[in-house]
Structure formats: C-alpha cells, structure tokens
Amino acid sequence: MTSIIEVYTIEIQHTGWAIMKKAAIALMGIWLGMAAAFAAEPPFKDSVPDTYTVKKGDTLWDISAFYLREPWLWPEIWHVNPQIKNPHLIYPGDVISLVYIDGQPRLTLNRGRNVKLSPQVRAMAHGEAIAALPLDAINSFLSRTRVVAPGELEAAPYVVAGQQKRIISGIGDDLYARGTFAGDDGTFGVYRQGDPYIDPDSEEVLGVRAQDVGAVQLKAVNGDVGTAGVLRSEQEIRIGDRLLPGEERKIDPVFYPSAPTDTIDGVIIAVEGGVNNVGHLDVVAINRGERDGLAVGNMLAIYKRGETVADRIAEDTVTLPPERAGLVMIFRAFEKMSFGLVLNADRPLSVKDLVRNP
C-alpha cells in the first residue's frame, strides 16, 4: 500500500473480492452529480477486501489510498453511522467495511470488537484517534514562509546587533532588536524580506515573501530596544532581519482533505527554495487564495501546460491541451494566494503549470 511517505504497514482481513467487481458499475450513479473527471472512473480500486481492521500507526490517508484511487475522496463515500457520535474519529481496532446502502457502495465504521456488552461507555480520548494525514512525517516539508502586505516588514522590529556586537546570531545566542514589540507571549518569528509574489495574469502584487530565518523569545524591553534569546535558527540571523509575532502553522491533525467549494483556475507562481522545477513534497505558491474560495485542506489537480508544436499539414503551430500530472494540498491560505504541498507528481512539473479543481 502506498501513502504519502511509505513508512506504514497494513494488515487486512480478507472476506471476499467479488464485491468490488459490482462496485465499478454501481458507482456511476454516485458520481453523476460530481465533476466529469470523477464520473469517468470509479473511485474504488479494483480488487480490495471488503473489511479492514485499523492498526496503530495508520492514517486516514493510508486507509483511503488502500481503497480509493484518489485518497482525498474518502469523505465523499463515507456513510455516517448516527449511533457513533463522531465517526470521523477512527481508532485502532475499529473495522472499516465496504457495504451497499440503497444499492450504492459505501464505507462504514464498526467500533472494535473488544467492547464489553454491558451498560458502560467506551471512553477514548480524541488524542488516541488516528490522524487524517501523516503530519508528523510531512511537517518538516510545510514551509514557515509567510506572505505579508507591502510595507509590513519595513514597519516591524529589526535586529540591530548580536551579543558582543556580533553581526550574526544562532540558536542559544541573545540578540538585540529595535521597534515596537506587540507579541502576546513574547515569541517572534525572524524573517528576511524576499521578492513580491506577482500574479502572472493580472500583474497584481499578491503579497511579499517573508522568508523564515528563525524564532526568538523576548526577554526584556528597554525603551524601544528589546533583548531576545534565539530559540530556533534555520540559518544565521543577520542585522536587519525583521521580527513578526509568532503564529501557529501546524495543520490540525483532524482536518480532512476536500475539494474547493468554488471553481479554481490558477497557476503555480513559485517554488520554495527559489527553483523552477517542482517535484514530490515540494512547497509551491499558487496565485489563488481565500478571496477565491481556497481553504486549508483543499486539494487541487496540477496540469502540465501543453507544448506548442508545429503542424506540418496546416503549416502553422498548435498548442496542445494541458495534461493532468499531479496533486497539491493547500496547507496555508492567505487572502490573495496560497501555499500547497505537492502530494504526487506523475511527471516533472514547473512554475507556470496550472492548478484546477481535482
């Protein structure tokens, strides 16, 4: 079984394979109301067992990838059991079954068989539930880069010196910054101003790149000069680097991949790291954001732009249609643009490739 990062193992209970042959026909009725891309191909894989026992270390993405061609479609075919308070929280020992409801295949959940048949409540903390995605494995790929409005970094406190007048600082050092310190808990991210993000279609400035350099904890403030200790450094912290109030960037482990509610038609405008080529688990910037209907957890298909080739018969050129080549998950949405993590890439991708509803 393949997941985002192949670090999980799966054990299955096999009770029969023939049921999936019928699913290919029945599934057409489910997807008539969805995009043509879904209706053209049933979401279930061919030959999968009809029951699966959840194991410790699994994620919903792993299990979904086991059953479905597109793992993020899991919520679309999930049958909510009204007797279970929150069926989206799944625990080791639970059994996922493929059943037919009103003639249509659905996935259902049965709690583990180790529940005693007595008038007692089986209490399980939410923290024991399996995660939607293996965030502990992909968290290091989720960029801390921020998008700020023009002028925001220039107005933020800045590093004036390190200890003993050093020009660079690292983890464990103290440094001195000057400005107005408005952080609630005294924790600040340290950023270096990058290039602006510009929409290639409208030429609108979507924001300015604030490159993550590290993090500091404010220790004392004397007038407009603050003393701060370096908690984290991705690279050396220099004089002139800016301080912005700390923010929580990690995705809630109980979020679920989904399709955008609005029609998205955008492009990849940059790749984290300043390169042009895009590959598996790369972070990309997209010229669509919250104002366009994008939200954290939305999935987008990546389309390779069609090449322009010579038509020898007509004696002119023709641009070939775009071809689907990958999938990206939005993990950070700003007003005018977003950051996404490339979950798969069937071929080499690059800046200016298209992103659309999956």
Side-chain angles (χ1 to χ4, degrees):
M1 205 250 352
T2 301
S3 61
I4 296 178
I5 298 179
E6 296 180 354
V7 295
Y8 300 99
T9 59
I10 287 183
E11 298 178 14
I12 59 174
Q13 293 179 345
H14 179 203
T15 60
W17 300 84
I19 190 171
M20 292 308 300
K21 294 181 179 179
K22 300 178 181 178
I25 299 174
L27 277 169
M28 295 305 294
I30 301 176
W31 299 99
L32 287 178
M34 301 187 67
F38 297 157
E41 186 177 24
F44 285 100
K45 290 182 177 178
D46 291 332
S47 301
V48 293
D50 57 352
T51 63
Y52 173 81
T53 301
V54 179
K55 303 296 186 294
K56 185 177 181 179
D58 284 343
T59 66
L60 291 180
W61 188 275
D62 294 321
I63 298 169
S64 301
F66 176 68
Y67 274 106
L68 306 173
R69 292 187 174 90
E70 297 282 2
W72 65 271
L73 290 177
W74 177 81
E76 301 289 346
I77 46 80
W78 186 251
H79 176 69
V80 176
N81 186 339
Q83 296 178 347
I84 298 177
K85 184 175 181 180
N86 191 342
H88 295 293
L89 293 179
I90 298 177
Y91 303 88
D94 290 347
V95 178
I96 296 175
S97 301
L98 177 64
V99 301
Y100 280 88
I101 298 175
D102 296 329
Q104 305 295 346
R106 291 286 192 269
L107 293 177
T108 63
L109 175 68
N110 295 312
R111 293 301 186 200
R113 296 177 180 270
N114 59 343
V115 180
K116 294 182 179 180
L117 297 178
S118 59
Q120 296 178 353
V121 176
R122 183 193 185 198
M124 299 190 75
H126 281 191
E128 298 179 28
I130 67 173
L133 288 168
L135 294 181
D136 56 339
I138 68 174
N139 190 44
S140 60
F141 295 98
L142 305 184
S143 170
R144 289 183 171 91
T145 295
R146 291 166 68 169
V147 176
V148 297
E152 185 174 345
L153 281 178
E154 288 86 344
Y158 55 92
V159 178
V160 293
Q163 279 182 318
Q164 301 176 357
K165 298 182 180 180
R166 296 174 184 168
I167 60 174
I168 62 173
S169 302
I171 189 168
D173 293 338
D174 283 349
L175 55 76
Y176 303 94
R178 189 176 187 184
T180 301
F181 303 92
D184 294 334
D185 60 356
T187 302
F188 291 82
V190 183
Y191 296 90
R192 190 166 299 151
Q193 182 164 330
D195 295 330
Y197 291 106
I198 299 177
D199 190 305
D201 299 324
S202 65
E203 298 187 354
E204 176 187 8
V205 176
L206 304 177
V208 176
R209 183 175 185 265
Q211 178 188 350
D212 173 68
V213 177
V216 299
Q217 177 68 47
L218 193 64
K219 294 183 174 180
V221 178
N222 185 1
D224 63 350
V225 177
T227 303
V230 180
L231 303 176
R232 174 181 58 82
S233 58
E234 301 300 319
Q235 52 184 286
E236 70 277 1
I237 298 176
R238 307 172 187 168
I239 293 174
D241 287 340
R242 300 285 174 160
L243 275 60
L244 296 175
E247 61 175 4
E248 180 62 38
R249 74 179 186 93
K250 189 175 180 180
I251 299 175
D252 185 342
V254 191
F255 101 104
Y256 299 97
S258 60
T261 55
D262 298 328
T263 300
I264 303 298
D265 189 2
V267 299
I268 296 173
I269 57 176
V271 187
E272 188 73 355
V275 298
N276 287 322
N277 295 327
V278 182
H280 179 60
L281 292 181
D282 277 341
V283 171
V284 296
I286 295 168
N287 67 335
R288 296 292 182 265
E290 293 174 335
R291 67 179 183 180
D292 305 295
L294 272 184
V296 170
N298 282 170
M299 311 296 287
L300 295 172
I302 305 174
Y303 286 81
K304 190 71 179 174
R305 284 184 180 271
E307 298 180 352
T308 300
V309 298
D311 184 339
R312 298 181 180 180
I313 304 301
E315 297 183 348
D316 60 5
T317 59
V318 60
T319 300
L320 303 178
E323 294 184 2
R324 180 163 172 164
L327 188 70
V328 61
M329 176 191 74
I330 301 300
F331 68 87
R332 187 73 191 276
F334 300 92
E335 179 188 0
K336 300 179 181 180
M337 59 173 290
S338 302
F339 288 143
L341 184 71
V342 177
L343 297 183
N344 64 55
D346 299 331
R347 66 193 69 184
L349 305 170
S350 61
V351 172
K352 295 185 180 180
D353 280 343
L354 309 174
V355 291
R356 297 173 178 172
N357 295 57

